[in-house]
Amino acid sequence: MTRKASIERNTKETQISLDFTIDGKGQSSLKTDVPFMDHMLDLFAKHGQFDLTVNANGDVEIDDHHTTEDIGICLGQALREALGDKRGIKRYGNAFVPMDEALAQVVVDLSNRPHFEFKAEFPSQKVGTFDTENVHEFLWKLALEARMNLHVIVHYGHNTHHMIEGIFKALARALDEATMVDPRIEGVLPSTKGML
């Protein structure tokens, strides 16, 4: 069974189509009108071995907020749909990624209980034209729509680009681990409650 999903979202602010495959080859095709997000999503696909296509048009003449937030919404919905009933998955994932002087950690639980913790302080408010506060918005909406427990910690760093890049790489690797099928549990839900 191929674990994949396609999502479309059309509002007065953004028009987004997104295709996501969990068991991919790390390939991406990205046109978001937000160059920094293209870069981060490319890293995400590559380091998670996901296939990801995003076509997004948004009101970037105002700023990148709506486009970035809505991509997070769509990616979260796609992840949740692609996982199906979650039988047999590992459920939890944890990854540390060093990016030069920065060290990022992401821990996930595909629990169907959305929660988001974000412990990162960026030295700069912008990377190029991208507002760094949008990283929080993207991740929060991703966690909410995927219905996952997501903890993001940047332990240290002083280059904002490196810190954010570490987050996206760690997110990809944590999700890769959490979405893996564990042959030891043979299609059983990874919960003592009998449901996720």
Side-chain angles (χ1 to χ4, degrees), residues 6-19 53-59 65-78 81 137 141-142 144-145:
S6 297
I7 300 292
E8 287 197 10
R9 178 180 171 85
N10 294 296
T11 73
K12 292 181 179 179
E13 297 165 341
T14 62
Q15 299 80 47
I16 297 171
S17 64
L18 184 148
D19 297 313
T53 300
V54 182
N55 289 297
N57 293 302
D59 54 0
H65 178 96
H66 294 141
T67 303
T68 303
E69 179 181 37
D70 286 6
I71 292 169
I73 289 171
C74 292
L75 182 58
Q77 291 173 348
E81 185 178 320
E137 286 302 309
K141 296 311 185 302
L142 173 68
L144 184 64
E145 295 295 334

Side-chain angles (χ1 to χ4, degrees), residues 128-146:
T129 60
F130 183 80
D131 291 321
T132 57
E133 67 182 9
N134 287 332
V135 174
H136 182 281
E137 286 302 309
F138 172 86
L139 293 169
W140 164 228
K141 296 311 185 302
L142 173 68
L144 184 64
E145 295 295 334

Side-chain angles (χ1 to χ4, degrees), residues 166-187:
I167 289 171
F168 274 82
K169 288 177 177 177
L171 173 66
R173 290 177 176 271
L175 280 173
D176 182 39
E177 180 182 359
T179 59
M180 281 183 185
V181 174
D182 187 341
R184 297 171 300 173
I185 60 176
E186 299 180 346

Side-chain angles (χ1 to χ4, degrees), residues 46-195:
K46 182 65 71 179
H47 285 267
Q49 289 299 298
F50 308 127
D51 289 344
L52 178 63
T53 300
V54 182
N55 289 297
N57 293 302
D59 54 0
V60 293
E61 70 281 359
I62 297 172
D63 68 10
D64 297 337
H65 178 96
H66 294 141
T67 303
T68 303
E69 179 181 37
D70 286 6
I71 292 169
I73 289 171
C74 292
L75 182 58
Q77 291 173 348
L79 174 60
R80 185 176 179 201
E81 185 178 320
L83 280 169
D85 64 8
K86 302 180 184 173
R87 289 186 180 276
I89 65 166
K90 288 192 171 183
R91 176 179 163 180
Y92 295 97
N94 177 39
F96 286 88
V97 169
M99 182 65 202
D100 294 351
E101 86 299 339
L103 179 64
Q105 180 183 15
V106 173
V107 185
V108 301
D109 175 10
L110 299 174
S111 61
N112 206 36
R113 294 190 309 276
H115 186 82
F116 180 50
E117 293 289 339
F118 186 75
K119 307 297 182 192
E121 294 183 15
F122 301 130
S124 303
Q125 292 182 342
K126 284 187 175 287
V127 176
T129 60
F130 183 80
D131 291 321
T132 57
E133 67 182 9
N134 287 332
V135 174
H136 182 281
E137 286 302 309
F138 172 86
L139 293 169
W140 164 228
K141 296 311 185 302
L142 173 68
L144 184 64
E145 295 295 334
R147 297 193 59 80
M148 70 176 165
N149 194 317
L150 174 61
H151 292 244
V152 175
I153 306 157
V154 177
H155 292 279
Y156 45 80
H158 59 77
N159 181 291
T160 301
H161 188 133
H162 291 166
M163 294 164 79
I164 297 171
E165 187 166 327
I167 289 171
F168 274 82
K169 288 177 177 177
L171 173 66
R173 290 177 176 271
L175 280 173
D176 182 39
E177 180 182 359
T179 59
M180 281 183 185
V181 174
D182 187 341
R184 297 171 300 173
I185 60 176
E186 299 180 346
V188 176
L189 282 169
S191 171
T192 55
K193 296 179 189 210
M195 66 176 292

